[in-house]
Amino acid sequence: MPARLFCEIGELAGSHFLIDREATIGRLKQNEITLHPTFISGEHARIYFDKEENSYVLEDLGSSNGTMLDGMVVNEPIRLGRLHVITFADQFDFIFQTLSEALARRIVTGAASPSTPRGEGEKTWVGDAFLPMPPIAAASPGEATEKTITGDAFEATPPLAAEKTPDELEKTHVGAFFGDLPPLPEQQDPREKTLIENVFPVTPPLAAADTDSGDDEAVVGASPADQPVSFELEVTMPDGTRQVFLLKEGNNVVGRESTRAIALLDASVSRDHALVTVRGGQVFLKDLASKNGTFVEGKKLTDEVELLPETTVNFGREITASLRRRDVS
């Protein structure tokens, strides 16, 4: 039972995707459905077909700005019916619709025959979850404008311009179904933002980094270079290797990206997993809605807590860390 996900209003109007069995949705290109706005998380949500329930299911993947189904926040996998409105990041409204086999065939009428063998490595932009759309014939002069393929669900549309070539269609960011978007407003200088977008407010530009420190750029909210380091975090990875991270005054982000202040390159760690804050001679720890959680002395973290020296912390599944105080002369 195929389904489709499409958007008719707002910045992503014109987006149209067919879903076979499963599609992940997010800002990163490895998702089956790639949505470019920065408010969308790298791995935001997924829609998959549950054979036992004989229906599609919507699941939020720990996104920063959330997923809603018909106006209700999605906190756990929810079974989908025939027609819904799914909202990503509280502002991008998509329509989800299950399709009959007959309607799915009508949508792809005119595309390459399914029996035609596909060359090795030749895939659609978002994998086999999407089906090619048929070319649209040019409208004859004086002929009534054609309606969309679903009949009375949509108003008649004006005649379309000349059909784009396959090369032109591949240039769109989320597949061949994006229309031309209006020019984006001038972007703010990235140096004036923290590394975790939409989680922390804009901060003023940092002072010049200390040339003796090799990780200043990876520290969010780093203090001036002449501020002494008084704490460090010793981390033991699943393979037994150990790393020591110096903590600067202010915010130090724990995450899977190499640009994070505390970079833990492990699949169980989220891109922005947790926040270690050094403030007034104290250290505080906060989980950033990570997929696999942050634990202090075996207890899952739900609020910011003060982190004391020699306290055992776990990030993800098997990563252990301990806070230590450094003697600064």
Side-chain angles (χ1 to χ4, degrees):
M1 179 173 60
R4 66 174 177 172
L5 188 70
F6 59 95
C7 181
E8 295 293 328
I9 59 173
E11 179 182 350
L12 300 181
S15 305
H16 189 286
F17 308 97
L18 293 182
I19 303 174
D20 184 9
R21 289 294 174 180
E22 179 175 356
T24 57
I25 302 149
R27 199 175 65 251
L28 299 179
K29 289 185 178 180
Q30 59 260 36
N31 292 287
E32 281 77 16
I33 299 178
T34 304
L35 305 179
H36 69 276
T38 56
F39 294 105
I40 301 292
S41 294
E43 298 173 346
H44 198 103
R46 73 166 177 151
I47 298 173
Y48 62 94
F49 188 78
D50 189 322
K51 292 183 179 179
E52 294 183 359
E53 295 289 340
N54 194 32
S55 67
Y56 282 92
V57 175
L58 172 65
E59 178 183 12
D60 183 83
L61 298 179
S63 62
S64 297
N65 296 307
T67 303
M68 293 193 295
L69 178 65
D70 298 331
M72 302 296 291
V73 175
V74 176
N75 292 320
E76 58 185 13
I78 297 180
R79 178 179 176 180
L80 296 175
R82 188 181 64 84
L83 187 67
H84 295 282
V85 175
I86 300 176
T87 305
F88 302 110
D90 200 27
Q91 57 181 302
F92 303 108
D93 293 326
F94 278 75
I95 298 173
F96 171 85
Q97 180 186 23
T98 57
L99 306 174
S100 65
E101 296 291 344
L103 180 55
R105 284 194 297 270
R106 288 176 59 193
I107 291 178
V108 297
T109 299
S113 171
S115 61
T116 303
R118 181 183 297 178
E120 183 177 357
E122 182 181 347
K123 295 182 180 179
T124 55
W125 168 239
V126 288
D128 295 331
F130 299 100
L131 303 176
M133 295 297 292
I136 302 176
S140 302
E143 184 180 355
T145 55
E146 297 182 2
K147 291 188 177 182
T148 56
I149 204 160
T150 53
D152 298 332
F154 302 100
E155 296 295 331
T157 57
L160 298 175
E163 182 180 349
K164 291 184 178 180
T165 67
D167 288 340
E168 292 173 324
L169 292 176
E170 290 177 358
K171 290 180 181 179
T172 53
H173 200 45
V174 291
F177 308 107
F178 259 37
D180 293 332
L181 297 177
L184 296 176
E186 183 178 351
Q187 297 295 313
Q188 190 174 13
D189 188 338
R191 291 173 299 177
E192 297 181 358
K193 292 183 179 181
T194 55
L195 288 176
I196 306 179
E197 295 181 4
N198 308 322
V199 176
F200 302 106
V202 174
T203 58
L206 300 177
D210 186 350
T211 57
D212 291 334
S213 175
D215 62 350
D216 284 354
E217 293 182 357
V219 178
V220 179
S223 61
D226 59 355
Q227 182 129 11
V229 176
S230 57
F231 293 98
E232 61 186 15
L233 194 67
E234 182 178 12
V235 177
T236 303
M237 301 299 288
D239 62 1
T241 59
R242 294 188 178 183
Q243 304 177 59
V244 176
F245 297 91
L246 306 184
L247 302 180
K248 299 288 187 178
E249 184 75 17
N251 296 326
N252 300 264
V253 177
V254 180
R256 193 174 66 242
E257 297 293 325
S258 60
T259 55
R260 300 301 183 254
I262 303 172
L264 306 179
L265 307 183
D266 186 85
S268 68
V269 176
S270 299
R271 292 176 67 247
D272 297 314
H273 194 102
L275 181 68
V276 180
T277 303
V278 179
R279 184 171 60 240
Q282 295 175 288
V283 180
F284 299 89
L285 177 63
K286 179 181 180 181
D287 183 78
L288 296 178
S290 62
K291 185 180 298 185
N292 294 307
T294 302
F295 301 82
V296 176
E297 298 295 347
K299 184 177 180 181
K300 188 173 183 179
L301 203 59
T302 57
D303 298 304
E304 184 179 68
V305 298
E306 182 179 358
L307 189 60
L308 300 177
E310 308 306 327
T311 300
T312 300
V313 179
N314 294 99
F315 300 112
R317 298 190 182 96
E318 299 178 5
I319 297 177
T320 304
S322 180
L323 178 68
R324 298 191 313 204
R325 183 182 296 274
R326 301 178 68 247
D327 293 330
V328 180
S329 56

